[in-house]
Amino acid sequence: MTPSDASHSRWSDLDRPPLNVPALRRGLLRPGGLWSSLDVVDTTGSTNSDLARRAAGLTEGAVLVAEEQTAGRGRLDRTWSAPARSGLFLSVYLTPGDVPAQRWGWLPLLTGVAVAAGLERSAGVDTALKWPNDLLVTVGGEERKTGGILAERAGDGVVIGIGLNVSLRADELPAPTAASLALAGAVSTDRETLLRGVLRSLEHWYGVWRAADGDAAVSGLREAYAASCATLGRTVRAQLPGDRTLTGEAVAIDGDGRLVLSTGDGLQEPVSAGDIVHLRGVGGGLT
């Protein structure tokens, strides 16, 4: 093996070993369970795009994981990339056909609740949720983004992508506002442990929500999301479609998963889409 080959080997960074696919399949794919298949690729542009292209032939519960993602997509067409094997980059395919379509908007929020719960158990890290789809951890007393979620309709279902910084070092962070589980003091950065924890938690919450016919209140999802949401109780700026901006206090998550803002004129306005900036309030600071 030449030095160049070695630098690209899956074992070139011993702190970031490759995932053990057979072990993951043994632990996650079981009769009667949600997860129907699990594939791991060395590198891809976007796991969401890959699953979406294959949606017509997929069975619910398909999981695609990339050791490296070079063109991952977040909301508002933002890119998501990181060094190989430094994080979890995955997408899952869900087909909640028996749930009314108007309730499918809860799926990215459900995923946030599930990921936060899974990481608390498997990594020992408190993870907060920034509405609608950011995962926050605390580093040096400051809230920073360590992950994100992107849900997209595809075929008869929804592809949900999860990107999570696991072992990124300070000099590898893409922005000063970013973080990783390692920098947040995780008790474990073993990606197989984290992946199992996240997927088992997602299976649990998806099952509970689906059994309640997608009702976020009956399933307890709305309450769980509000309890983990760092946006509530803060003054925020919502940058809305059409170059409209709205500033107010985030006071609630409504039954449709929208963020309710109380504005200066005393009105309460629900926000269903937009980029949210934390200005001040709980925890202080601007994120």
Side-chain angles (χ1 to χ4, degrees):
M1 179 181 292
T2 67
S4 177
D5 291 335
S7 67
H8 291 87
S9 166
R10 297 170 72 236
W11 289 97
S12 59
D13 188 341
L14 297 180
D15 290 330
R16 293 170 176 167
L19 294 169
N20 184 329
V21 181
L24 287 170
R25 287 174 175 161
R26 286 194 300 271
L28 291 166
L29 309 184
R30 55 184 176 79
L34 174 61
W35 308 119
S36 56
S37 64
L38 187 147
D39 295 305
V40 178
V41 296
D42 285 340
T43 185
T44 190
S46 163
T47 55
N48 258 35
S49 295
D50 292 348
L51 275 193
R53 281 194 296 268
R54 296 162 42 200
L58 290 177
T59 300
E60 180 174 49
V63 180
L64 178 63
V65 186
E67 295 281 33
E68 181 179 25
Q69 189 170 240
T70 59
R73 292 176 293 116
R75 293 180 63 253
L76 307 179
D77 294 324
R78 294 177 177 134
T79 58
W80 180 284
S81 62
R85 304 178 303 281
S86 66
L88 290 178
F89 320 113
L90 68 143
S91 296
V92 303
Y93 184 62
L94 302 177
T95 56
D98 50 348
V99 173
Q102 63 267 28
R103 293 176 173 173
W104 289 22
W106 273 97
L107 282 170
L109 306 185
L110 180 156
T111 304
V113 169
V115 172
L119 292 179
E120 183 175 357
R121 287 193 294 267
S122 60
V125 171
D126 288 333
T127 307
L129 305 173
K130 178 184 175 186
W131 188 92
N133 66 346
D134 286 352
L135 303 163
L136 306 178
V137 294
T138 300
V139 177
E142 296 181 356
E143 285 181 342
R144 297 189 188 181
K145 179 177 176 178
T146 193
I149 296 160
L150 178 67
E152 303 175 280
R153 289 291 296 266
D156 296 326
V158 179
V159 172
I160 302 176
I162 301 167
L164 185 67
N165 293 333
V166 174
S167 63
L168 264 70
R169 298 176 280 270
D171 61 351
E172 296 175 317
L173 295 174
T177 55
S180 67
L181 296 181
L183 293 174
V187 297
S188 173
T189 56
D190 181 275
R191 292 184 304 136
E192 292 174 26
T193 299
L194 302 179
L195 182 58
R196 286 193 296 268
V198 165
L199 288 178
R200 286 170 179 162
S201 183
L202 181 52
E203 179 176 13
H204 165 75
W205 273 106
Y206 180 65
V208 170
W209 173 79
R210 195 166 179 175
D213 201 28
D215 189 310
V218 171
S219 65
L221 175 59
R222 184 179 176 186
E223 180 180 4
Y225 188 88
S228 297
C229 184
T231 304
L232 292 178
R234 305 177 85 141
T235 299
V236 305
R237 181 174 66 248
Q239 297 168 334
L240 307 176
D243 294 327
R244 180 172 170 240
T245 299
L246 181 67
T247 300
E249 181 185 356
V251 294
I253 304 294
D254 74 7
D256 295 319
R258 298 178 298 182
L259 181 67
V260 180
L261 299 187
S262 178
T263 60
D265 52 16
L267 298 178
Q268 292 194 347
E269 184 166 346
V271 174
S272 59
D275 198 26
I276 299 297
V277 179
H278 291 175
L279 298 178
R280 61 182 181 275
V282 179
L286 185 153
T287 58

